[in-house]
């Protein structure tokens, strides 16, 4: 187990800087980027996914514990159901408003 | 592998030192998987109803960039200080844990204060829960997150009280770690609210 890195705040500070950078990048893309709205939305969703990964890796220690493989599989399955629910609902309702 | 802190066992952090601790942390990860699905249903509902304003205010008219940026920064910073608190816990530093966790809670309360003020403003402008499908979806999604944060504040206070009394044992360390996971998870949910509700809401 990689314990040593967790006893210095360096790991957390890097995570925090990343999360601030990603937040302000998303704000800038939304308000100022000279690109079509659809592309702006795609970029901020990608930035949010990176932000999620930053929290998991730097703060939540996802890769720790004896059951780390299972907790990652469980999380991926949760994400799969979430994506299917959200994307599926939007897809269906697109045709509802036509 | 080397035990860096005198409080931790040779096999790793205190919260993982018993089988019960490991299993309960794993169980909490499964709970978080279910929470992802819960929030996904609320996100799906909100996103498909976003345009259904029934002649009422739209997201573009309601959302204030300055306010939701402050809310986001408060919660992001609290996730960071919560991480530092768990780090102090792993060093066996009770004072450090208490101090960082107190800051985390203050930031969390600041976030809740901003959110309540935002809700009160909307309702006073006639943009309440029952005004339109868009606003129903908005209040249910953001309100469910806010309720989770409120619960988190109370839960963490209870854990802090226990640690103040008993210090770090395999049980209290496990509770401190799990409440930390819960707090980081609430930040993750907020990131998606920030992106899919607020940022998206000011451009479309």
């Amino acid at each position: 187990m990689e314990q040593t890195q967790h006893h210095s705040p360096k790991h957390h500070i890097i995570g925090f800087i990343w999360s601030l950078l990603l937040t302000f990048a998303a704000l800038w893309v939304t308000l100022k980027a000279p690109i079509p709205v659809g592309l702006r939305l795609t970029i901020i969703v990608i930035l949010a996914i990176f932000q999620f990964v930053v929290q998991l890796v730097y703060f939540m220690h996802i890769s720790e514990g004896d059951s780390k493989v299972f907790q990652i599989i469980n999380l991926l399955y949760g994400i799969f159901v979430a994506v299917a629910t959200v994307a599926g609902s939007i897809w269906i309702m697109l045709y509802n408003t036509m | 592998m080397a035990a860096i802190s005198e409080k931790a066992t040779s096999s790793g952090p205190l919260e993982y030192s018993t089988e019960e601790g490991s299993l309960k942390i794993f169980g909490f990860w499964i709970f978080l998987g279910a929470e992802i699905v819960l929030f996904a249903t609320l996100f799906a509902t909100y996103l498909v109803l976003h345009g259904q304003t029934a002649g009422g205010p739209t997201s573009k008219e309601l959302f204030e960039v300055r306010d939701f940026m402050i809310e986001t920064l408060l919660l992001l910073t609290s996730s960071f200080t919560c991480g530092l608190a768990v780090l102090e816990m792993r060093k066996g530093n009770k004072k450090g844990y208490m101090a960082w966790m107190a800051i985390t809670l203050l930031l969390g309360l600041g976030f809740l204060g901003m959110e309540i003020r935002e809700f009160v403003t909307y309702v006073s402008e006639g943009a309440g829960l029952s005004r339109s499908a868009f606003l129903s979806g908005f209040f249910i999604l953001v309100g469910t997150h806010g309720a989770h944060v409120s619960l988190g504040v109370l839960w963490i206070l209870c854990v802090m009280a226990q640690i103040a009394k008993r210090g770090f044992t395999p049980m209290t360390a496990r509770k401190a770690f799990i409440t930390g996971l819960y707090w980081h998870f609430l930040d993750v949910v907020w990131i998606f609210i920030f992106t899919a509700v607020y940022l998206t809401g000011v451009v479309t």
Side-chain angles (χ1 to χ4, degrees):
Chain A
M1 285 167 86
E2 66 281 52
Q3 288 307 319
T4 43
Q5 62 188 3
H6 298 313
H7 284 272
S8 127
K10 214 176 92 188
H11 204 60
H12 291 82
I13 293 166
I14 293 169
F16 186 50
I17 291 169
W18 267 117
S19 68
L20 288 177
L21 285 176
L22 288 165
T23 303
F24 283 103
L27 182 70
W28 182 84
V29 168
T30 307
L31 299 180
K32 298 273 160 67
I35 46 173
V37 171
L39 189 58
R40 276 187 266 172
L41 296 183
T42 310
I43 293 171
I44 62 172
V45 169
I46 293 167
L47 290 174
I49 293 165
F50 276 114
Q51 183 83 272
F52 184 17
V53 174
V54 166
Q55 293 284 324
L56 284 173
V57 172
Y58 289 96
F59 296 148
M60 294 173 83
H61 316 285
I62 176 84
S63 57
E64 272 183 13
D66 305 331
S67 338
K68 62 181 171 190
V69 175
F70 305 107
Q71 67 199 26
I72 292 168
I73 291 171
N74 170 69
L75 194 74
L76 289 175
Y77 183 62
I79 293 167
F80 166 72
V81 176
V83 170
T85 307
V86 174
S89 301
I90 293 171
W91 188 24
I92 291 164
M93 294 306 278
L94 271 179
Y95 295 98
N96 184 41
T97 53
M98 275 168 86
Chain B
M1 280 303 212
I4 286 109
S5 92
E6 57 289 344
K7 292 279 168 65
T9 63
S10 57
S11 61
L14 192 57
E15 64 271 24
Y16 282 107
S17 62
T18 64
E19 197 187 358
E20 193 195 347
S22 288
L23 282 175
K24 284 189 170 166
I25 291 167
F26 176 51
F28 196 76
W29 277 102
I30 293 182
F31 166 73
L32 291 183
E35 286 275 284
I36 289 176
V37 177
L38 165 75
F39 278 102
T41 62
L42 299 178
F43 271 105
T45 311
Y46 171 81
L47 289 170
V48 300
L49 295 174
H50 175 233
Q52 312 298 314
T53 53
T58 63
S59 59
K60 224 173 178 169
E61 290 159 2
L62 283 176
F63 298 162
E64 296 286 345
V65 174
R66 191 184 132 264
D67 290 3
F68 73 69
M69 278 310 285
I70 294 172
E71 287 173 9
T72 304
L73 293 178
L74 282 171
L75 217 54
L76 274 182
T77 311
S78 82
S79 188
F80 171 58
T81 57
C82 177
L84 292 179
V86 171
L87 190 78
E88 292 302 323
M89 184 267 282
R90 287 194 167 172
K91 289 182 195 161
N93 180 358
K94 192 165 127 179
K95 264 191 184 153
Y97 170 81
M98 289 295 192
W100 283 118
M101 224 50 209
I103 295 169
T104 304
L105 288 184
L106 286 177
L107 292 166
L109 288 173
F111 167 83
L112 282 173
M114 290 286 296
E115 185 160 88
I116 289 165
R117 209 187 60 167
E118 182 190 343
F119 283 9
V120 168
T121 309
Y122 292 171
V123 171
S124 70
E125 288 169 353
L129 182 74
S130 54
R131 179 62 189 83
S132 64
F134 152 62
L135 283 163
S136 305
F138 169 81
F139 278 107
I140 297 298
L141 170 59
V142 183
T144 303
H145 175 267
H148 274 74
V149 176
S150 312
L151 182 76
V153 170
L154 295 175
W155 188 15
I156 287 170
L157 277 175
C158 296
V159 172
M160 284 173 78
Q162 224 171 47
I163 289 170
K165 212 172 150 190
R166 301 181 197 170
F168 292 121
T169 66
M171 187 191 71
T172 57
R174 183 248 301 161
K175 288 181 179 179
F177 186 73
I178 285 177
T179 48
L181 282 182
Y182 183 73
W183 197 262
H184 296 309
F185 177 75
L186 294 182
D187 190 41
V188 168
V189 175
W190 182 260
I191 288 157
F192 286 96
I193 292 179
F194 168 69
T195 304
V197 176
Y198 289 99
L199 289 180
T200 305
V202 292
V203 288
T204 55

